[in-house]
Structure formats: C-alpha cells, structure tokens
Amino acid sequence: MNQGLALEIMLAGESVLLTGPAGSGKTFVLNQFIKLAKHEGKHVSVTATTGLAATHLSGTTIHAWSGIGIRDEISGGFVDHMAKGRREIIEKTDVLIIDEISMLHDYRLDMVDEVCRLVRKKPDVPFGGIQVIMSGDFFQLPPVNRNDSRAGGFVVNSNVWHELEPTVCYLEEQHRQDDEQLSEILNALRAGDVRRRHAEALLARVDEVPTSDDITELHTVNIDVDRINEARLEQLAGDEVVYTQATTGSANYVESLQRSVLALETLRVKVDALVMAVKNAMDRKYANGSIGTVVAFEPATEYPIV
C-alpha cells in the first residue's frame, strides 16, 4: 500500500494499524494525517509508547495521556480519582494516535481502552468511540517484560484488538535508504530470510574502521554497555564528579518508582562525558533518550551543565 491510500483510509474515520519497514514513511503519514484531521476541526491526541518517540510527533506518552502511568491494572474507582483536566482531554478526543505500538503490552492497551470507556461513559464501544491510529513495526521493538512486573505480549493479543478490528495499512515503498543493497539486507534481516549474498556483503565489512569516534554502539546486554562506558569515562581528562541517589518515603513506594527509573544509583561524570536523559523535560527542551555532553559544572552546586 502507498502513503496516499493509507492517508485516505485514516481520513475516512477508520481505526488503523499503520505499519511497514523502517523508512517506509509511517511518521510522515502520521504527521500529514494529524495536520489534516486538525484542519477538519477534530481533536487529535498524539501519543507514543516512549518519550523520545512522542517528541517526533510533538506528543506525550500513552501512559501519561491515559493516566495509567506504570500501573499493571486498573483499580476500582480509578477514574474517580483522575485529574479533571485529564478526564476532559479524553472526553473531547476524536482521534487517538499511538506511535511505536509494538512496544505497548497487550494488557496495557486493554487498560487504555477501559479508561476511555469509563471516562466517556460509552462502555459498549472500543475506546469509548475514539478513532484509534496505531503505528509501528512488530518486526522491530517488542514489549519489555521485567521479572518484577506483569508480563505481556504484542497488542494483537489484547481483548480490545479483536473488538476494534483495525484496518491494517502496510506501507511498502522505501523513502529513506538510497542504497538498494543495504535496503535488501535490512529487509532480509527483518523477515528472517538472510541469504548467502547478504552474509557475504556483511562479512566484507568486518575489518572496516569507523572514521569517527563519536558514534553510538548498540549492545544486547547491559554489562557490555557498562564496561564500554566505564572505559570511555576513564579516558577523559579531569576530575570525576559523583552524584548519589537519595530517596524518601515508604520502601514499597520507592521500590515501585525504582523499577521505572533507568538512572544509576551512583552517577559518575566528567567534563566532555556523553550523557543521556532518562526522563522527559516538562518544557520539552529534551526528552527521554536525548543525548548531550557535559561542558562544565556550576560552581555553587556542582550540578552538570549539559
């Protein structure tokens, strides 16, 4: 399917799963749809499963929009305790966008559905009658399951998915890669169909050396990431500044919050150290996943200037 047809289906009011490989233009189509839907006078709520993905669409996380936060289930009286402003946003929403849908657990999509039905007082229709546009690629990032929280799978296993029956719009055109060989290899990897020619092309690059040290490395386990980060920090000149986490409140509350925090309990940095934000800024100057460099430390507080 091309972008134009997908856009027509979405503008017709259908609830949709917008999917396709990286570079097929999912975010572009979403932005076009958001602009046109707002022009028609519709109230569009733009969300994503992560803070960084939400910034690409100038939105918020689905967890914040729905009020579910890091909860694993909706408790009795949940809606009664919601902030008035949050309820009003859900009540007036005509279209709900959820980007990077592959990372959302099935039970959490059901939780969002339950909240929408309760707030809008329409218990018999999915999401209380809101048109839902979900975008993402199930071949890429799956939901993350942790040992200390409820496990779940892709949203296609949710109860509301089968009730909603979204139209699947699969974008096939490639708009990002101008290297046909690389594009073919990426699609083969995505589909689990790597052939000999693909392997030979990759093996031919084994001894290639990057021209810059300022690159992001991806690793499968945290221990490798920590080892490399420690080594790079040791290479930097200057003194370390160390920040130690402090907590207050009941142990259960602190433990619950700690599960959703990626910051280290002891953070060591120097001038010229690369750092990453793990929380969205309220003023949207940075988001979860934004990268910066420590350039100095404030004299009075020793807080880093990034």
Side-chain angles (χ1 to χ4, degrees):
M1 181 182 295
N2 62 34
Q3 294 179 352
L5 179 56
L7 192 57
E8 284 184 27
I9 293 171
M10 292 156 65
L11 289 171
E14 296 281 332
S15 285
V16 162
L17 169 66
L18 183 66
T19 189
S24 58
K26 296 186 291 295
T27 300
F28 174 79
V29 172
L30 280 181
N31 279 318
Q32 291 293 105
F33 170 72
I34 291 166
K35 181 172 67 175
L36 292 171
K38 287 183 176 179
H39 182 72
E40 292 179 354
K42 293 182 178 179
H43 292 280
V44 182
S45 289
V46 183
T47 74
T49 53
T50 68
L52 186 60
T55 63
H56 296 160
L57 296 167
S58 300
T60 186
T61 65
I62 184 62
H63 307 76
W65 180 86
S66 62
I68 65 173
I70 60 172
R71 292 176 181 82
D72 290 339
E73 58 184 22
I74 301 296
S75 57
F78 173 80
V79 171
D80 296 333
H81 294 92
M82 287 183 72
K84 180 182 178 183
R86 176 66 46 216
R87 290 200 304 270
E88 288 177 347
I89 289 173
I90 296 173
E91 286 171 354
K92 72 179 183 181
T93 294
D94 298 308
V95 184
L96 172 61
I97 309 286
I98 311 176
D99 197 16
E100 295 294 357
I101 192 64
S102 69
M103 296 185 69
L104 190 68
H105 293 86
D106 45 11
Y107 65 84
R108 286 211 167 95
L109 186 65
D110 282 334
M111 289 168 65
V112 174
D113 168 54
E114 184 179 352
V115 168
C116 291
R117 294 189 198 218
L118 290 170
V119 170
R120 294 166 66 89
K121 296 180 174 60
K122 295 181 179 179
D124 298 327
V125 288
F127 297 95
I130 297 174
Q131 179 189 6
V132 180
I133 307 294
M134 297 169 282
S135 177
D137 181 9
F138 292 116
F139 283 90
Q140 294 185 30
L141 299 170
V144 177
N145 286 318
R146 296 186 174 90
N147 293 331
D148 55 357
S149 61
R150 181 179 174 185
F154 287 118
V155 292
V156 294
N157 298 315
S158 65
N159 295 323
V160 71
W161 178 275
H162 301 288
E163 192 173 349
L164 184 68
E165 293 185 332
T167 301
V168 178
C169 295
Y170 189 96
L171 301 180
E172 298 173 299
E173 298 172 342
Q174 178 56 242
H175 296 275
R176 186 181 300 167
Q177 294 292 347
D178 55 5
D179 185 327
E180 290 187 10
Q181 184 184 41
L182 176 58
S183 181
E184 182 185 340
I185 292 172
L186 291 174
N187 285 326
L189 288 167
R190 179 174 177 272
D193 187 28
V194 179
R195 303 301 177 92
R196 184 183 185 90
R197 66 181 183 276
H198 303 138
E200 289 175 345
L202 293 173
L203 289 169
R205 301 283 299 175
V206 166
D207 295 323
E208 291 292 326
V209 178
T211 56
S212 170
D213 288 334
D214 188 19
I215 58 174
T216 299
E217 297 185 32
L218 303 180
H219 295 268
T220 55
V221 291
N222 286 341
I223 191 170
D224 290 337
V225 175
D226 294 339
R227 174 178 51 80
I228 292 169
N229 285 343
E230 290 287 334
R232 292 297 294 268
L233 188 65
E234 292 297 327
Q235 292 173 6
L236 296 177
D239 297 329
E240 279 186 359
V241 178
V242 180
Y243 307 93
T244 304
Q245 173 183 285
T247 61
T248 59
S250 67
N252 289 341
Y253 183 63
V254 170
E255 183 181 351
S256 175
L257 286 175
Q258 188 67 57
R259 289 201 301 267
S260 64
V261 174
L262 295 177
L264 301 172
E265 292 188 28
T266 302
L267 178 65
R268 299 162 49 224
V269 291
K270 296 179 180 178
V271 170
D272 292 332
L274 283 176
V275 291
M276 178 183 288
V278 293
K279 190 178 186 300
N280 299 331
M282 297 297 290
D283 57 8
R284 298 191 176 184
K285 288 183 178 179
Y286 58 86
N288 180 10
S290 296
I291 296 175
T293 304
V294 177
V295 295
F297 296 94
E298 291 182 349
T301 63
E302 282 202 326
Y303 287 171
I305 300 172
V306 179

